[in-house]
Amino acid sequence: AESSNQESSDFSPRSTLCSKVSFALGMVAHAAAAILAAVVLYTAWPGSSLFSWHPTLMVIAYGLLMTEAILMFSPESSLMVNAMRKTKVRFHWILQAGAVVCAVGGLTAIYLNKERFGKEHFTSWHGILGLTTVIYSIVQSTGGINLLYPKLMKSWMSLAQLKMYHATFGLLGYALGCGSLALGINSNWFSREVEGMLWVVCLCCPAILALVIMNQVTTAYLGRRIKI
C-alpha cells in the first residue's frame, strides 16, 4: 500500500506540472546559452585579433561548457537524459575541465593583449570579478576530483556531504561566471558592437542561466535528502 501511494504521488498532477516546468526552463537555458555564444562569437570573430580570443573563450567556458556540464544532471532537460549516471559524471568532468582550460585561455588572452598595449590590469569590476571567477573555477574543479575518488576523503566527510559541498560551491562559482559574463556584456566593447534589443537579449541570457541552474541545484540538494 505504501509503495502504491508513493507511485501515485510520483505521477500526481503537481509533480507532472513541475516536471514540465523544469523541462521548459532547461530548454530555455540551452537556448540562452546557444544564443549568447553565437552572438559573442560572431561579434568577436575569433582569430581576428588577440583580444577576440578573450570573449570567445570566456563565453565558451561559462556560457556553453559549464552550463551544459551542470544541465547534464537535470532529470528533465539533460541532453543525455537517458544515459547512465556514470556516463553523465564522465561527461560532466570532461566539460568542466574544458571550461577551466578555456577560462584560463581567455584570461591569458586579455592579459597579453593589455600587456601589448601597455594598459593596466584588473582595474574594472569586470576584470576583478573575472580574475576571481577563473581562480575560483580552478580551485573548485580541483576539489571536484574528490568526488571521483571519494574513498580518499571518507575519513573527513561522507559521500553525501561531498556532493552537497561540491554542488553548493559549484553553484557559487557558476554564479560568479554569469556575473562576469553580464559585466562583459556591459563593457564598452560589447555595447559598442551590439546595440538595441539584441543587446538586451544578451544581457538577459546570463541571468536566465543563473536562475535555471540555481533552481536545478537547490531542488536536487535542498528540496530533498541526498540519495546515495
Side-chain angles (χ1 to χ4, degrees), residues 51 54-55 58 62 106-107 110 114 121-134 176-190:
F51 170 80
H54 172 65
M58 286 305 189
Y62 295 101
L107 179 63
I110 192 62
K114 284 182 175 291
H121 300 284
F122 314 117
T123 57
S124 66
W125 283 111
H126 174 59
I128 295 171
L129 185 61
L131 176 63
T132 303
T133 301
V134 173
L176 289 173
C178 288
S180 297
L181 290 177
L183 289 176
I185 292 168
N186 274 294
S187 67
N188 293 331
W189 168 76
F190 195 83

Side-chain angles (χ1 to χ4, degrees), residues 42-55:
Y42 179 80
T43 303
W45 206 256
S48 59
S49 66
L50 177 59
F51 170 80
S52 69
W53 289 110
H54 172 65

Side-chain angles (χ1 to χ4, degrees), residues 60-141:
I60 290 175
Y62 295 101
L64 278 179
L65 296 181
M66 194 168 289
T67 298
E68 294 301 333
I70 300 174
L71 287 174
M72 184 71 62
F73 294 113
S74 171
E76 294 87 14
S77 55
S78 171
L79 295 181
M80 302 177 65
V81 67
N82 294 320
M84 297 176 60
R85 181 171 178 81
K86 183 178 181 180
T87 301
K88 291 182 179 181
V89 169
R90 182 180 299 113
F91 275 93
H92 173 77
W93 68 258
I94 290 174
L95 290 173
Q96 288 285 39
V100 171
V101 170
C102 286
V104 172
L107 179 63
T108 302
I110 192 62
Y111 184 88
L112 294 177
N113 188 70
K114 284 182 175 291
E115 281 287 307
R116 181 180 180 184
F117 292 100
K119 295 183 178 180
E120 294 184 359
H121 300 284
F122 314 117
T123 57
S124 66
W125 283 111
H126 174 59
I128 295 171
L129 185 61
L131 176 63
T132 303
T133 301
V134 173
I135 295 174
Y136 188 97
S137 299
I138 294 172
V139 175
Q140 168 66 11
S141 296

Side-chain angles (χ1 to χ4, degrees), residues 147-185:
L147 278 173
L148 295 177
Y149 307 99
K151 292 182 179 179
L152 298 176
M153 296 292 292
K154 65 180 181 179
S155 299
W156 290 278
M157 62 185 69
S158 66
L159 179 57
Q161 290 174 315
L162 276 174
K163 288 182 178 181
M164 174 66 80
Y165 291 138
H166 181 66
T168 302
F169 289 110
L171 177 59
L172 175 58
Y174 186 77
L176 289 173
C178 288
S180 297
L181 290 177
L183 289 176
I185 292 168

